[in-house]
Amino acid sequence: MEIFNSIVTWVMKKRIHQIDLFRKYPHDVQEELFQNLISTAKGTEFGKKYGYSDIRSVEQFQERVPVSAYEDLYPYIERVMKGEQNILWPSKIEWFAKSSGTTNARSKFIPVSPESLEGCHYKGGKDMLSIYVNNYPETKLFSGKGLSIGGSHHPNEFNSKTSCGDVSAVIMQNLPIWAEAMRTPPLKVALMDKWEEKIEKMVELTVQENVTSMSGVPTWTYVLLKRILEVTGKKDITEVWPNLELFTHGAVAFGPYRQLFKEIIPSDKMNYLEVYNASEGFFGIQDQRDTQDEMLLMLDYGVYYEFIPMDQLEEEYPKVLKLDQVEVGKNYAILISTNAGLWRYKIGDTVRFTSIGPYRIKISGRTKHFMNAFGEEVIVENAEVAIIKACEATGAIISNFTAAPVYMESGKRGGHEWLIEFEQEPDNLLQFTQVLDNTLREINSDYDAKRQNDIALQEPIVYAAPKGTFMSWLSHKGKLGGQHKVPRLSNTREYLEEILQVSGIGVKS
């Protein structure tokens, strides 16, 4: 295994030269990619409709092709799901990444072309390993196996010759034999659709392996690790897998979970690597050892990027920026055009650039996940920073949270209610609430202005949810496992009221 580890490490290091190329020439790489996308898709129905054959510049593209939400592209996607081809992209589409999203209950079906699977999702996975071995040249990562928690897939209801499933399931099902041999558990277990049974089977099989890395959503990975400790009776995960050195995580911000993982993986050799891998594509990788939550924007994955400033988001014809027009420190909604036929598509995420030389981003929230009932403009990034500070100040460790407004009524001021499930409760819930509030005031001037003298916003109310509350809610919604996650913030009380009812707290405003 030592020889194998050395060979794979050497191979993985080779890709770093190509990564350096787009770091050095980002705009040239994106321009060439744009031209290739337009040229490849000019014969599709969508390409003919918008005259791709004579588009020569990004400016022409922006003038002709409208910004699209999922609802706008769905009529085309539905036709592809029913078996029509050459609609959005010329290659044959046999897979669809199913995403329930976090803004409504409706599933989204994202086409996955052979080009996007190989040149985006798989390329991202290989680059993640390349960056890691370059940052940690003494790694023994390939002397053991990688544990990954996938979703499941099933035949497409419109066309049984094609399949739909969680993006992780789509990726796993199509892995080459050599890559499948390097992971655990076996595919038939990793892709089980009954979450509770899957966890038990994963525990049974993976504790026998030499696991050196893990990848997955922090919430579901933690559930698995806790169950492993319960079954084995071990104190921490290093007693089960002494060679574990890496957890690659995505889908939700890791900051609020960092202490949670340190409690059960107290190893000083444990490393954490964030990736930005969504149903629509693989977009970012943490490329520096000493930074957290910042990722290099990957520019040669068949994805052309545009950005909408937040003050333009609700405009019918928003001002849209190219990569060379963005500024550090500002929040933008992402638009993508891809080698799977998504054109000027709003993926629903917002990012903040932390650097433009090279381009690094931090995920700051969702375009529909925020609280702004009183002009306070609290975004997910604000909430996560405040939660981390409150935990640090009170010794708390959280496992999940959500928040929503309390709307003004006659003679009553408005406010925010937070429902937090603690793995370890704070020493003092009142102090936790005060630190949360004060941190939000420090980092968000709009929130602070509304909190002045309690004029518009009262001090937030924080409820401690019984353990298992959020899991019960997700189970009730049929969203256990995979990429499913709890909505952090909402401008309505829909989610909060549902979860409060599940928790038994039963508080109504």
Side-chain angles (χ1 to χ4, degrees), residues 93-311:
I93 306 296
E94 297 181 322
W95 286 91
F96 298 86
K98 181 180 178 182
S99 170
S100 64
T102 49
T103 55
N104 55 49
R106 180 172 50 204
S107 295
K108 297 178 182 179
F109 297 91
I110 306 299
V112 180
S113 68
E115 292 89 345
S116 64
L117 189 62
E118 185 64 38
C120 186
H121 290 289
Y122 286 161
K123 194 172 185 179
K126 287 183 281 190
D127 282 0
M128 173 195 75
L129 294 173
S130 177
I131 287 170
Y132 183 76
V133 300
N134 274 274
N135 285 341
Y136 299 90
E138 303 305 315
T139 179
K140 303 297 182 186
L141 197 68
F142 306 108
S143 63
K145 291 193 174 183
L147 183 153
S148 48
I149 304 177
S152 59
H153 64 78
H154 53 82
N156 169 14
E157 63 176 303
F158 295 120
N159 177 7
S160 61
K161 294 180 180 179
T162 61
S163 299
C164 306
D166 184 280
V167 67
S168 60
V170 175
I171 291 170
M172 285 185 193
Q173 183 64 61
N174 291 281
L175 280 174
I177 294 175
W178 66 265
E180 177 59 25
M182 296 171 62
R183 56 163 303 282
T184 188
L187 200 60
K188 64 180 181 180
V189 174
L191 301 183
M192 289 172 64
D193 58 358
K194 294 183 179 178
W195 177 249
E196 292 89 347
E197 292 180 20
K198 177 190 289 192
I199 285 288
E200 295 304 315
K201 197 66 178 175
M202 287 186 74
V203 171
E204 176 189 339
L205 296 175
T206 60
V207 294
Q208 305 169 32
E209 298 281 4
N210 174 28
V211 173
T212 54
S213 68
M214 307 180 299
S215 62
V217 179
T219 41
W220 303 120
T221 304
Y222 182 75
V223 169
L224 173 65
L225 297 183
K226 285 289 286 183
R227 184 60 185 148
I228 285 173
L229 293 181
E230 290 171 3
V231 170
T232 61
K234 303 296 185 182
K235 183 178 66 174
D236 62 62
I237 291 299
T238 62
E239 295 182 5
V240 181
W241 300 318
N243 298 314
L244 181 65
E245 64 171 275
L246 174 65
F247 176 39
T248 304
H249 55 86
V252 299
F254 192 59
Y257 296 98
R258 196 171 297 277
Q259 188 57 39
L260 199 63
F261 275 78
K262 284 183 178 179
E263 292 285 320
I264 61 172
I265 315 176
S267 171
D268 58 2
K269 71 174 184 179
M270 187 65 188
N271 302 307
Y272 297 90
L273 184 70
E274 182 171 11
V275 296
Y276 186 4
N277 189 18
S279 298
E280 297 86 355
F282 202 126
F283 307 131
I285 302 171
Q286 181 184 333
D287 66 323
Q288 296 174 302
R289 287 184 61 156
D290 302 324
T291 58
Q292 297 175 359
D293 308 323
E294 291 183 27
M295 290 172 285
L296 182 69
L297 188 63
M298 309 307 286
L299 301 178
D300 64 347
Y301 284 10
V303 179
Y304 182 76
Y305 295 99
E306 298 174 85
F307 303 89
I308 304 178
M310 295 305 290
D311 61 1

Side-chain angles (χ1 to χ4, degrees), residues 64-116:
R64 293 186 186 184
V65 182
V67 170
S68 298
Y70 181 77
E71 291 75 14
D72 301 312
L73 287 183
Y74 181 70
Y76 298 97
I77 294 173
E78 184 180 35
R79 290 173 60 190
V80 179
M81 292 183 73
K82 289 180 177 179
E84 292 188 58
Q85 298 293 342
N86 205 37
I87 303 299
L88 291 164
W89 188 252
S91 298
K92 189 176 182 181
I93 306 296
E94 297 181 322
W95 286 91
F96 298 86
K98 181 180 178 182
S99 170
S100 64
T102 49
T103 55
N104 55 49
R106 180 172 50 204
S107 295
K108 297 178 182 179
F109 297 91
I110 306 299
V112 180
S113 68
E115 292 89 345
S116 64

Side-chain angles (χ1 to χ4, degrees), residues 399-441:
S399 59
N400 243 317
F401 74 91
T402 193
V406 180
Y407 287 97
M408 293 179 175
E409 297 177 3
S410 179
K412 289 175 130 181
R413 290 184 293 275
H416 294 162
E417 284 184 354
W418 297 69
L419 184 64
I420 303 175
E421 186 176 326
F422 294 99
E423 187 67 25
Q424 181 174 307
E425 294 204 1
D427 299 331
N428 185 314
L429 187 59
L430 177 59
Q431 182 192 3
F432 182 97
T433 303
Q434 290 170 340
V435 174
L436 177 77
D437 182 40
N438 290 335
T439 303
L440 285 173
R441 296 186 69 166

